[in-house]
Amino acid sequence: MQEVQRSVLAELLTSYPYNSASQLHEYFGGGPLPPSFGGSCAWQSFEAGRAVAERSGVESEYRIDGRHVAAVHRDAEGITILDPYLLHRLPLRLERADAVDSTVSLTAEAYPLRVRADGSPAPSRVRVRWNLDDDSVGLNYLRFSPRRGHQVISRSFLMRADQVLTEAPPAADRVRPLLLHPEQHSVSVRVLHPDTRQLAELVLPLAGQGQRIDAQSLITKDNQGAVARRGTRAFDRDREVVADAVGAPVQDVESALLEAAELHRGAAPAALDLADYSLEDE
């Protein structure tokens, strides 16, 4: 089972990227994007659970925190978590026997693998805390920030025992409002390139001062979290990495984001207030 989980995660990290545009196409447009374009964070976990079940016959428990979903596999000795959105390099395995004061803790290496100014490695981390008393699981994802010079918490989730999906994916009337949540202030494709294991992201912000929904508003982020704007060599380089990883022409990837942004604009309530998308380097 552990080998199945390991192989599924390794494949999905490079073949099913995070793509916040895909479900906008699926639920507000003409259908989902091709599988190589990936899916939202929840769909990444659904895909992990589906692949494990297909190869092992073992079904996942889908724990949720708001819009986030993690696939959990349970056995007598402990639990294993697959959450491809958090880019952990190996399955998150927590053993009951390792508990201290009823808590099992784990720190695992994750992507992106960044470097400090002196050239030393600065990998990302996922910190997990499994509370045996209430069966809750806390997940913190930390990345090295070159601008700040230290690790920062990028994402934090608490997966409670009573917050479990009974249907994966949920019904459309439950999904659609989540796609229009105020936290979703951009559409993007984030890839881990299968050859270089470098992260790259193509982003279309949905909010910001004077923000427009057009190709000129697209930005990229590289493995170090540096932002590049259209018309620069860095932008062209990062955009090509994204397109190569999903196996599609650059124009198709850009069009997918632009169309998703228009779908979001057309479906969003008039009073929806989105926070500005940060254009700072990480």
Side-chain angles (χ1 to χ4, degrees):
M1 180 62 174
Q2 291 186 15
E3 183 54 39
V4 169
Q5 293 162 333
R6 187 178 294 110
S7 64
V8 164
L9 178 64
E11 291 169 15
L12 289 181
L13 285 176
T14 57
S15 68
Y16 197 79
Y18 170 70
N19 184 339
S20 57
S22 189
Q23 273 59 61
L24 287 167
H25 282 269
E26 180 174 359
Y27 288 92
F28 294 110
L33 298 174
S36 65
F37 278 62
S40 70
C41 59
W43 265 253
Q44 287 182 294
S45 290
F46 297 153
E47 187 65 15
R50 183 203 61 77
V52 169
E54 186 177 81
R55 300 180 194 185
S56 70
V58 178
E59 297 292 336
S60 297
E61 174 184 272
Y62 293 107
R63 292 283 187 96
I64 60 174
D65 178 3
R67 299 181 302 138
H68 191 69
V69 179
V72 179
H73 300 105
R74 188 181 302 273
D75 56 51
E77 288 74 37
I79 61 173
T80 302
I81 300 168
L82 297 181
D83 193 340
Y85 176 71
L86 300 185
L87 295 166
H88 50 96
R89 300 180 70 183
L90 294 172
L92 303 172
R93 177 64 186 175
L94 297 106
E95 301 277 354
R96 289 182 180 275
D98 295 332
V100 177
D101 296 330
S102 298
T103 300
V104 184
S105 299
L106 171 72
T107 299
E109 197 169 276
Y111 295 102
L113 306 179
R114 291 180 171 167
V115 294
R116 298 181 177 87
D118 63 4
S120 60
S124 303
R125 308 281 185 194
V126 176
R127 292 179 181 164
V128 192
R129 287 175 58 86
W130 178 28
N131 187 320
L132 299 185
D133 291 335
D134 63 8
D135 199 29
S136 64
V137 178
L139 296 168
N140 287 321
Y141 175 52
L142 299 91
R143 286 180 172 179
F144 176 74
S145 167
R147 181 166 57 87
R148 296 182 176 92
H150 58 79
Q151 293 267 357
V152 296
I153 295 178
S154 175
R155 296 289 185 273
S156 184
F157 304 106
L158 180 61
M159 325 301 281
R160 300 183 185 276
D162 61 348
Q163 297 296 306
V164 179
L165 285 180
T166 57
E167 183 182 11
D173 60 354
R174 184 175 180 183
V175 172
R176 287 193 179 99
L178 297 176
L179 296 176
L180 304 175
H181 193 281
E183 290 179 356
Q184 192 66 55
H185 58 172
S186 70
V187 288
S188 67
V189 184
R190 183 194 70 186
V191 304
L192 181 68
H193 196 278
D195 296 334
T196 64
R197 301 284 163 161
Q198 296 278 297
L199 214 64
E201 188 170 12
L202 182 64
V203 185
L204 178 59
L206 298 175
Q209 187 174 4
Q211 185 61 47
R212 299 176 301 173
I213 304 300
D214 59 27
Q216 294 302 315
S217 299
L218 288 163
I219 62 169
T220 62
K221 290 186 177 182
D222 66 10
N223 194 70
Q224 288 288 100
V227 173
R229 291 166 175 78
R230 196 176 196 92
T232 65
R233 290 183 180 179
F235 177 90
D236 292 341
R237 177 200 63 210
D238 300 338
R239 183 181 58 166
E240 289 290 346
V241 171
V242 172
D244 188 58
V246 302
V250 164
Q251 293 77 10
D252 289 0
V253 181
E254 289 191 353
S255 294
L257 295 185
L258 290 165
E259 291 167 12
E262 291 296 346
L263 290 168
H264 183 279
R265 174 178 283 178
L272 182 64
D273 186 20
L274 300 177
D276 288 358
Y277 185 89
S278 174
L279 299 177
E280 284 189 307
D281 294 343
E282 292 184 28

